Each structure stands twice: as structure tokens, then as C-alpha cells.
Amino acid sequence: AQSVSQHNHHVILSEAASLELGCNYSYGGTVNLFWYVQYPGQHLQLLLKYFSGDPLVKGIKGFEAEFIKSKFSFNLRKPSVQWSDTAEYFCAVRGNTDKLIFGTGTRLQVFP
Amino acid sequence: GAGVSQTPSNKVTEKGKYVELRCDPISGHTALYWYRQSLGQGPEFLIYFQGTGAADDSGLPNDRFFAVRPEGSVSTLKIQRTERGDSAMYLCASSPDKYYGYTFGSGTRLTVV
């Protein structure tokens, strides 16, 4: 069965700090990978996705993620966070079924 | 519509009652998904429709939960004999097909008292 692990449950950063949120998945076949963000009081929004090709994927708002197949990882990065990046971030994987399996999320707090 | 619409946004019901939650997907999106999200957790898959048929209902927790999409557009999630443990945010998402990410609605917060 597919599963997703997000090891960082709560991350606190100051503005301009660099961000890396971990995501590991368990599935041996071809995967599609996603990062979603949920800002306070808002619905889930797609940040970026990987289907194939270049393993370094760029998304909205300066976020990027790198697919490392050998490590079953799809970590999310941003060089310099802003207060407005305060949100909950969810990694998701789709393997041989049509449904996305989500991780438990990482809550990011950015202080000015 | 421009996005996925879910109604009601909030629903409070008494234990044992029946509830219906509605999802209106983006026009033309053939795939529709229902998820449930509890506090501090990620969205948990319930059921997936491709057109009118339920392609995968493996996430429905028990036979009190049922969902329909009779015309391939609007979907209704139905919960019978609600229990306090059913309290959660119920999310609906739609997609043009399985090769895209989902667009989520704002959810229905269900509280069973």
C-alpha cells in the first residue's frame, strides 16, 4: 500500500530563513508526487507537482521540490521564506491507483 | 463555476441523524473525490468517481457512508446514523482526469453532538 511520511510536524522559522520540508513515500512503482498548501482559513491549493522528466520541479510562490527516486523522497524547499508562507503543507503521492494519498502535514510558522 | 463548491460550509447535527453533504465540481471535470480531514491529520481518501460511477470506494469507513453522482456532475455524500466520531472536515475535489492534480473545495465542517 502507498503511504507518505512527513517527519517535520511543526517548523518555526524567521523571515528570510531557508526552508526544507521532508516527504518520503513508500511505493516501488511509478509515482506522481504533489505538494499542497493550506493557508489559515483557506482551502487546499496545489503548490507543485511531479509527473516525469526533470526531477527538480518549480512551483508557485518561489517553492521548488526535488524528486530523488533512490531515496523515495520529494522534499519541498524555498530559499527565503516570508511571513505569508505561514500555512500547513501536505505532501501527496499517487501510485497505481487514481487517488492521492496524503501525509499528515507540516505546520510552518514564519515570524517577522 | 470557477471553483469547487461545497455546501453547507458548516453542519451541526445530533448523534443518530442523517446528513447530506453536497459537492459541485468544476464544470467539465470528470473525476470527483471525497476526503475527510480530522484535526491535525492529512486528508483521508473516502471515494472517487469517474463520471457517474464510483471507481473506488475503498475509503468509506463503513456502510453508514454512501455517495452518489447521478449525472456525472454534482455529488452528494450521505451519512446515516451519525456518530460523534464522524465529526471532521469533509473535502471534495475535482480533476479533469487522473493525470492532473486536484482542485479542492473549501469543505464542509461536520459536527455531531
Side-chain angles (χ1 to χ4, degrees), chain A residues 56-111:
Chain A
L56 185 61
V57 180
K58 294 195 183 298
I60 60 172
K61 304 187 180 187
F63 285 91
E64 65 179 31
E66 185 175 12
F67 170 51
I68 303 180
K69 188 174 182 180
S70 61
K71 294 185 178 180
F72 297 90
S73 71
F74 190 56
N75 292 356
L76 182 71
R77 300 195 292 247
K78 186 170 183 178
S80 175
V81 294
Q82 301 172 315
W83 176 78
S84 59
D85 293 324
T86 294
E88 188 135 21
Y89 293 80
F90 295 93
C91 181
V93 63
R94 177 167 60 210
N96 64 343
T97 66
D98 293 331
K99 62 196 180 201
L100 294 191
I101 305 300
F102 285 83
T104 53
T106 297
R107 183 177 169 217
L108 172 65
Q109 280 185 291
V110 180
F111 289 96

Side-chain angles (χ1 to χ4, degrees), chain A residues 18-38:
Chain A
S18 65
L19 170 72
E20 181 160 2
L21 301 183
C23 173
N24 288 90
Y25 64 91
S26 66
Y27 181 68
T30 301
V31 291
N32 303 145
L33 295 157
F34 305 81
W35 275 97
Y36 279 82
V37 62
Q38 190 167 28

Side-chain angles (χ1 to χ4, degrees), chain B residues 62-75:
Chain B
N62 52 59
D63 61 6
R64 295 187 297 106
F65 289 74
F66 189 70
V68 296
R69 194 185 185 198
E71 297 178 357
S73 179
V74 170
S75 176

Side-chain angles (χ1 to χ4, degrees), chain A residues 32 34 36 38 42-46 49 51 88 90 94 97-105, chain B residues 33 35 37 40-43 45 48 55-56 58 91 97-106:
Chain A
N32 303 145
F34 305 81
Y36 279 82
Q38 190 167 28
Q42 296 189 26
H43 61 276
L44 282 160
Q45 301 172 43
L46 182 65
K49 60 184 186 285
F51 280 72
E88 188 135 21
F90 295 93
R94 177 167 60 210
T97 66
D98 293 331
K99 62 196 180 201
L100 294 191
I101 305 300
F102 285 83
T104 53
Chain B
Y33 304 82
Y35 281 77
Q37 187 176 18
Q41 300 295 316
F45 171 77
Y48 153 53
D56 183 347
S58 62
L91 301 171
D97 63 39
K98 66 180 182 180
Y99 300 107
Y100 286 80
Y102 303 169
T103 301
F104 279 88
S106 298

Side-chain angles (χ1 to χ4, degrees), chain A residues 9 38 41 88 90 103-107, chain B residues 35-44 84-91 108-111:
Chain A
H9 298 295
Q38 190 167 28
E88 188 135 21
F90 295 93
T104 53
T106 297
R107 183 177 169 217
Chain B
Y35 281 77
R36 179 168 70 174
Q37 187 176 18
S38 301
L39 209 58
Q41 300 295 316
E44 174 192 18
R84 293 197 179 88
D86 299 335
S87 296
M89 178 72 84
Y90 288 81
L91 301 171
T108 294
R109 181 166 296 285
L110 175 66
T111 304

